[in-house]
């Protein structure tokens, strides 16, 4: 009986034209609008550092150890990309002339045991060049001090440096995710919560006071809760299929990477679809008016989507500063945060916490719905 009702509910939902329009087509249209509106800014890596064109000028009798360091940074390895593009000049005048012509972006001038940095303006480039010099000078001072005081400890220092590098490599974050991808995460959240319409429509056909089909359902001798759970599963399956179409469209047609393996994104979205269905079931069990069953899910979905950042970027951070609990009880925000955590930091405790909150929300909605539906009764005529 369960499977028969399950397939019957799938057929029933597929025949609803508004379901195809809102749950399948509208997210695709909105994703295309986002893509056209943001343009190539979406594909830019916010953490990308372009190779810096730098000149190196050494005074008379200067040791070339620093030159060896920056030449090493000019090589592309498995641990890092090409950071610097170094050009050696015989004189500071020639390097300055190249800087004024914007052939290079900075100058390293090593003289009298000092390394001077010459740039045309302060910014990311000057900070990066300065940090390279500071790191070099710190390590040089450490080696010189140990060699003069405790030369037997030099192996310990080298091991410590290698240990620090291994630690950074092991816990390196993933590639930067564009801030504009947050809008696509919020779009998936909205699409998932649209499934609340699916379950309210399903509840309409199960309630005797809302439809003729509901009257027949109430009079049937079958197990009511089993039929309701079959409908919930059917709605979750269809919404997952809808979200999968959106995910694949963004990934393969628009060429935007979600920042995580696509099967992981689909799995998390399936959980969000189940959450939307559960919320709709709760709404359908509470309200007994057809207008309310249409307007309440819409209002709920759009309100949650707004506070998750669909219409205004950065609103999650504002809420986190003033009312952080709101981010934890908003299903759309929890969902978008789980995708962001997975894309940027991997499977951290915050990521599993978001998944746990969604599972808890599903359980709470279904338990309350079951308690309400079990006590449902109608006036005798």
């Amino acid at each position: 009986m369960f499977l028969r009702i399950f397939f019957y509910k799938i057929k029933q939902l597929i025949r609803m034209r508004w379901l195809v329009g809102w749950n399948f087509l509208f997210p695709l249209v909105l994703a295309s609008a986002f893509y056209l509106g943001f343009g190539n800014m979406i594909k830019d890596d916010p953490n990308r550092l372009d190779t810096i064109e730098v000149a190196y000028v050494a005074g008379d009798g200067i040791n070339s150890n620093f030159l060896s360091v920056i030449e090493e940074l000019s090589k592309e390895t498995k641990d890092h990309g090409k950071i610097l593009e170094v050009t050696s000049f015989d004189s500071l005048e020639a390097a300055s002339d190249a800087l004024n012509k914007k052939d290079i972006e900075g100058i390293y001038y090593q003289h009298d045991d000092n390394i001077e940095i010459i740039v045309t303006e302060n910014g990311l480039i000057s900070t990066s060049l300065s940090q390279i010099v500071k790191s070099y000078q710190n390590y040089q001072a450490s080696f010189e001090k140990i060699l003069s005081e405790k030369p037997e400890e030099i192996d310990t220092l080298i091991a410590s440096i290698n240990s620090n590098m291994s630690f950074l490599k092991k816990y390196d974050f993933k590639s930067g995710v564009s801030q504009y991808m947050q809008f696509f995460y919020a779009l998936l959240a909205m699409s998932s919560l649209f499934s609340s319409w699916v379950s309210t429509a399903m509840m309409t056909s199960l309630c005797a006071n809302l439809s003729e089909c509901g009257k027949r359902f109430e009079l049937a001798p079958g197990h009511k809760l089993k039929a309701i759970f079959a409908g919930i599963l059917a709605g979750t399956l269809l919404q997952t299929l809808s979200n999968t179409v959106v995910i694949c469209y963004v990934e393969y047609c628009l060429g935007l990477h979600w920042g995580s393996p696509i099967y992981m994104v689909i799995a998390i979205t399936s959980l969000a679809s189940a959450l939307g269905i559960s919320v709709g079931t709760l709404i359908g069990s509470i309200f007994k008016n057809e207008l309310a069953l249409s307007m309440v899910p819409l209002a709920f979905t759009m309100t949650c989507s707004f506070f998750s950042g669909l219409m205004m970027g950065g609103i999650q951070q504002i809420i986190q500063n003033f009312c952080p609990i709101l981010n934890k009880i908003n299903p759309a925000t929890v969902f978008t945060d789980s995708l962001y955590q997975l894309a940027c930091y991997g499977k951290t405790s915050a990521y599993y916490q978001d998944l746990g909150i969604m599972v808890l929300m599903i359980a709470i909605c279904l338990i309350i719905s079951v308690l309400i539906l079990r006590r449902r009764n109608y006036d005798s005529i």
Side-chain angles (χ1 to χ4, degrees):
M1 177 181 176
F2 180 87
L3 289 178
R4 192 174 78 175
I5 296 176
F6 171 74
F7 288 113
Y8 169 77
K9 286 299 177 184
I10 289 182
K11 292 180 182 179
Q12 180 187 24
L13 294 174
I14 290 176
R15 290 170 182 171
M16 296 180 181
R17 295 183 178 179
W18 60 265
L19 174 63
V20 176
W22 283 105
N23 291 48
F24 279 81
L25 298 182
F26 180 70
L28 296 177
V29 173
L30 194 55
S32 300
F34 283 163
Y35 179 77
L36 294 175
F38 297 134
N40 291 330
M41 294 185 295
I42 309 175
K43 298 182 179 181
D44 291 339
D45 185 353
N47 297 326
R48 185 185 67 187
L49 178 64
D50 294 328
T51 302
I52 302 173
E53 301 277 349
V54 63
Y56 175 77
V57 181
D60 295 335
I62 296 298
N63 192 306
S64 61
N65 288 337
F66 180 68
L67 178 59
S68 300
V69 171
I70 59 177
E71 285 179 344
E72 187 66 27
L73 294 177
S74 301
K75 301 175 182 178
E76 188 170 350
T77 69
K78 63 179 181 180
D79 294 329
H80 62 76
K82 192 175 183 179
I83 299 174
L84 302 176
E85 182 68 45
V86 181
T87 304
S88 296
F89 284 84
D90 296 330
S91 65
L92 181 60
E93 290 76 14
S96 299
D97 185 57
L99 180 63
N100 293 331
K101 293 180 179 178
K102 296 186 178 180
D103 294 333
I104 56 175
E105 298 171 290
I107 301 173
Y108 280 132
Y109 179 39
Q110 189 172 6
H111 61 96
D112 300 330
D113 295 331
N114 292 321
I115 302 175
E116 183 180 351
I117 302 170
I118 303 174
V119 292
T120 55
E121 60 182 12
N122 292 326
L124 179 61
I125 292 175
S126 61
T127 302
S128 302
L129 296 178
S130 176
Q131 188 60 42
I132 292 172
V133 174
K134 289 179 180 178
S135 298
Y136 168 77
Q137 291 174 338
N138 289 337
Y139 282 122
Q140 184 185 44
S142 298
F143 274 105
E144 290 177 352
K145 183 177 181 181
I146 290 180
L147 284 173
S148 62
E149 297 179 1
K150 296 182 179 179
E152 67 277 4
E153 296 290 335
I154 192 65
D155 292 337
T156 303
L157 176 61
I158 295 175
S160 177
I161 294 173
N162 292 334
S163 176
N164 291 337
M165 294 177 67
S166 299
F167 176 84
L168 291 173
K169 181 180 177 182
K170 181 178 179 181
Y171 293 98
D172 189 23
F173 293 148
K174 296 183 178 180
S175 298
V177 176
S178 171
Q179 58 179 333
Y180 298 102
M181 284 304 297
Q182 284 280 3
F183 290 96
F184 290 89
Y185 295 157
L187 170 63
L188 274 185
M190 181 194 70
S191 178
S192 299
L193 292 181
F194 270 164
S195 61
S196 58
W197 274 345
V198 175
S199 47
T200 53
M202 177 190 67
M203 293 301 296
T204 300
S205 65
L206 299 180
C207 296
N209 61 324
L210 295 178
S211 66
E212 295 297 323
C213 184
K215 294 176 183 178
R216 292 194 295 270
F217 174 78
E218 292 288 356
L219 292 174
H223 197 285
K224 305 296 189 301
L225 291 181
K226 184 183 294 185
I228 291 173
F229 279 111
I232 291 174
L233 183 59
T236 301
L237 180 62
L238 284 179
Q239 188 58 48
T240 300
L241 177 61
S242 170
N243 288 336
T244 301
V245 172
V246 176
I247 292 170
C248 293
Y249 175 74
V250 172
E251 179 85 15
Y252 299 114
C253 296
L254 300 183
L256 304 179
H257 186 46
W258 291 99
S260 307
I262 194 168
Y263 69 90
M264 291 294 298
V265 179
I266 293 174
I268 299 172
T269 309
S270 301
L271 185 62
S273 300
L275 176 56
I277 292 289
S278 302
V279 170
T281 304
L282 178 60
I283 294 173
S285 62
I286 294 175
F287 295 94
K288 299 181 180 180
N289 180 276
E290 288 191 53
L291 181 61
L293 289 176
S294 299
M295 297 306 298
V296 173
L298 176 61
F300 173 79
T301 298
M302 300 315 297
T303 301
C304 291
S305 299
F306 172 78
F307 287 113
S308 70
L310 181 65
M311 297 86 164
M312 179 176 146
I315 193 172
Q316 293 185 38
Q317 289 72 26
I318 298 174
I319 296 173
Q320 188 66 29
N321 292 333
F322 294 97
C323 186
I325 187 64
L326 186 59
N327 281 339
K328 294 299 182 184
I329 62 175
N330 181 359
T333 301
V334 174
F335 168 73
T336 56
D337 186 65
S338 66
L339 288 180
Y340 181 78
Q341 291 288 338
L342 181 62
C344 292
Y345 310 112
K347 298 178 181 179
T348 62
S349 58
Y351 164 75
Y352 287 111
Q353 183 183 72
D354 290 334
L355 297 186
I357 291 174
M358 284 195 284
V359 172
L360 181 62
M361 288 180 176
I362 293 173
I364 291 175
C365 289
L366 291 181
I367 290 173
I368 296 176
S369 300
V370 168
L371 293 177
I372 294 175
L373 293 173
R374 286 176 64 89
R375 296 173 179 270
R376 182 175 56 186
N377 55 63
Y378 302 95
D379 293 334
S380 176
I381 51 176

